[in-house]
Amino acid sequence: MYKIPLFDLNYDENEIRAVTETISSKWISSGPKCRELEEKFSEALQISYACAVSNCTAALHLALCALGIGKGDEVIVPSLTFVATVNAVKYVGADPVFCDIVSPMDITIDETKFESLITPKTRAVIVMHYAGFACHMQKIMEIARKHHLYIVEDACHAPLSEYQGKKLGTLGDVGCFSFFSNKNISTGEGGMLVTDNPEIDKRVKLMRSHGMTAMSYERSKGHSASYDVAELGFNYRMDDIRASLGIVQLEKLAFDLKKRERIREWYLENLKELDGVWMPFADYHEFSSNYIMPVVLKNADHIRRDAVRELLQKQGIQTSVHYPAVHRFSVYQDLAHGELLNSEYVADCEITFPMYGKLEKSDVMFICNAFRQILEELQ
Ligand SMILES: *Cc1c(COP(=O)(O)O)cnc(C)c1O
């Protein structure tokens, strides 16, 4: 349908073989493949513990549960994120407090506004590393430490992305990753929670499986005949079919990210000098996973942005928007918030361009030329 889609799966016969092997093994629910993925993921991130879960929304929910956050507590969140970041706060009965982003060039939580939002009720902040570009973690960690706040990293965009020599998702108390189809690691549905804290690891592993002290795979191996239900848990398990996909995807990830890095350079070379558009993170120097390729129109509004997207679509180029601002959704409209001007501007004027390893230089040239022409015509 589209000449150039927004995303394409990085799948080949290896994923098919891995799934076939798992099905042939007859153990398809949470078992040895989940354990293997957890080990390989924690090793890749150089962190002590990883807990495979059904999706990142579950990971975020478990993270807040394990940190003991609940009713009466406040959690600071960005509004320019996927709604799940904020929903997780509501799941535990706590109140989200929206923090603006820095600017259209830096679409991450504004560390200079963060501290002024802290009240005696604030217990945690959830940072979201947009497209794999790190939030201003040094300052955020400093403020969090001063006010005894937990840091949860929504690192859904950021597997293997780095910040001052560490992997994103390993800087705060808990890191949460998504393996949804269009993420850097694709398993259909899936997620991972990482931590260096053994107590948190123990608690989330209990809570992802009904609060049961032993999972069926362990019981089938005779490690324990019975189990207790130690606390109220959920069914947030991953299954081994998806875990076997995740193992193959993780093996391919570093190479895929190299390709994405080059693709981003092609976009920047073509669009950086263009009037009328900001290229977020253009001067960023850490390693990023480049989950998505955002641009932000200057002097625009959502009507102009949608017109540009429509003209791109007419040329066969699929685009998206990351994200509609969460505080404007009906379900969050009653929640009081301060000014979120940058979040609102970017929500109205951002366009996400195609980004995936299979993109050729000629594809990027085609997109950039089409975009340049559209901006000129709309003058
Ligand atoms: C994808 C995504 C989520 C949700 O992940 P699921 O695995 O689909 O639950 C949460 N936050 C961000 C920033 C995401 O991109």
Side-chain angles (χ1 to χ4, degrees), residues 54-58 60 81-85 128 154-157 177-180 182-183 189-191 291 322-323:
S54 47
N55 54 66
C56 179
T57 308
L60 290 163
T81 182
F82 185 58
V83 66
T85 316
M128 197 280 274
D154 181 336
C156 282
H157 296 191
F177 292 85
S178 173
F179 304 151
F180 183 70
N182 66 9
K183 299 285 155 84
E189 297 280 356
Y291 164 56
H322 289 81
Y323 289 95

Side-chain angles (χ1 to χ4, degrees), residues 63-75 88-96 121 123-124 150:
L64 297 178
C65 288
L67 295 172
I69 290 161
K71 208 167 158 42
D73 296 335
E74 290 178 357
V75 178
V89 177
K90 297 291 279 182
Y91 294 163
V92 298
D95 297 315
K121 291 179 174 175
R123 296 281 315 283
Y150 293 117

